[in-house]
Structure formats: C-alpha cells, structure tokens
Amino acid sequence: MFAFLILLAIVVVIAFWGMGIYNGLITARNAFKNAFAQIDVQLQRRFDLIPNLVEVARKYMAHESETLEAVIAARSAAQAGLAAAKANPGDAEAMAQLAATQGQLSAGLGRLMMVAEAYPDLKANQNMMQLTEELTSTENKVAFARQAFNDAVMSYNNKREVFPSSIFAGMFNFIAATLLEIPAEKQAEVRAAPKVEF
C-alpha cells in the first residue's frame, strides 16, 4: 500500500510538472500573439492617417498624382499583408509579406514627404503639419510594438526549444514563430546615420 502511494505521488508530481510546461508554452504563445495585436492597432492607426494625409497633399500637389497614387496602392498592399499576418502571427511567410508591404508603404510615404518639401504652402498647412506629427508618433509606436513582439517571439521560441519543454513542444505541435524584421533591402537605409547639412 505504501509503495502504491509513493508511485501515485510520483505520477501526480510528473503530471503537474508536465502541465506546468504545457501551460508555460501556451502562455508564451499567447504573449507573442498579444504583442502582435499591439502592432495591428498601431498599423491600423497608420492606415487611417494615410488617406487624410494624401487628401491634404492632393490639394497642393495636383501634378504629383503618381506619387499620391503610389502611396494609396502601397497602403492597400500593406493592409493585405497585415490581414495575412493577423491570420497567423509568427508564421514565416506572413511575417515576410508583412515586412515587405510595410517597407513599400514606408518608402512611398518617404517619397511623399520628400515631394511635399517642394511645396511651401503644403508644409505650412496646419492639417498637414498635424497629420505629419501624428504619423511620426504612430511610426514610433509601431517600432516599439515591433520590438515588444520580437521580444515575445524570442521568449516563446526559447521556451519551446529548451529541454524538457522541447519534448512537449514537439508532442503538442508548438511551431517556431518568426520575428518581424525590417526587409534586408531597407536595413542599410534604416540603420544609416542621418546626414545633417548646414
């Protein structure tokens, strides 16, 4: 009888230990999905600002319609990339598509801002200044949200790869999540020090 109780206690301890590992994996996966939801919130805010920015610019930049149309097209592509990533946050293909489409949108917005510099009335427009400020603030929030997402993904991936969690991760199909990284072609541009001219 005593041996049976010891064996039962060992089984109960192992069961609780296994549940703890499994629950830890679930918690880590939910954490990176929640972190992605924060990226989604900021990107939606960005998407909402762009049509207003384009509309204000359109009034001053009538003959720059190609630039404005490129921004709108990039916005649509970025929204599609976000929808694919929302369906499966952490999926390698979805993250690559999201990063690429967001890079295209950032490039389009950058061109719009460069062209806007040539229009003093547009630069001085109160709506344009406010929208530009809001967009800049949102871009910063997107960067912070991306960092938080990448930290959560790294934590999840570490948890699923270390022993003995790796055994449970394999048994219960916890697949690796992918970081949301800046596309390779944009990394040099983003990491370059800004040039200051006097």
Side-chain angles (χ1 to χ4, degrees):
M1 179 71 173
F2 184 70
F4 173 74
L5 291 176
I6 291 177
L7 182 60
L8 182 63
I10 290 172
V11 168
V12 167
V13 167
I14 290 173
F16 277 108
W17 174 74
M19 285 189 309
I21 290 174
Y22 179 81
N23 289 339
L25 288 167
I26 292 289
T27 301
R29 183 173 63 192
N30 289 343
F32 87 75
K33 287 182 177 185
N34 180 56
F36 185 81
Q38 303 311 311
I39 292 174
D40 176 43
V41 167
Q42 297 307 323
L43 290 179
Q44 287 299 334
R45 177 169 165 68
R46 180 187 199 201
F47 296 152
D48 292 344
L49 289 170
I50 290 170
N52 296 332
L53 186 70
V54 169
E55 195 56 40
V56 169
R58 187 180 311 273
K59 293 176 184 174
Y60 293 90
M61 301 168 49
H63 59 280
E64 298 285 352
S65 62
E66 186 177 303
T67 301
L68 298 173
E69 289 169 10
V71 170
I72 294 298
R75 176 184 177 261
S76 295
Q79 285 179 308
L82 178 59
K86 270 199 309 194
N88 195 3
D91 177 63
E93 188 176 315
M95 292 297 104
Q97 181 183 359
L98 178 61
T101 58
Q102 292 301 318
Q104 291 169 352
L105 180 56
S106 294
L109 286 171
R111 281 192 301 278
L112 175 63
M113 293 303 162
M114 283 178 36
V115 170
E117 289 290 319
Y119 295 87
D121 291 342
L122 177 59
K123 284 176 35 180
N125 180 288
Q126 192 64 33
N127 288 339
M128 185 67 169
M129 290 186 329
Q130 181 182 0
L131 288 167
T132 303
E133 179 63 33
E134 286 183 40
L135 189 61
T136 301
S137 172
T138 300
E139 295 293 339
N140 290 335
K141 291 175 184 175
V142 167
F144 288 128
R146 186 179 67 228
Q147 179 182 354
F149 171 76
N150 286 343
D151 289 345
V153 165
M154 186 178 69
S155 177
Y156 165 75
N157 284 339
N158 285 343
K159 188 172 284 276
R160 65 171 289 284
E161 291 173 8
V162 297
F163 182 81
S165 297
S166 59
I167 295 170
F168 287 87
M171 285 174 30
F172 295 105
N173 201 27
F174 284 90
I175 58 173
T178 303
L179 300 172
L180 178 56
E181 298 179 308
I182 298 169
E185 61 273 4
K186 300 295 276 173
Q187 285 181 4
E189 178 184 319
V190 170
R191 292 184 177 143
K195 295 180 182 176
V196 178
E197 295 179 12
F198 296 99

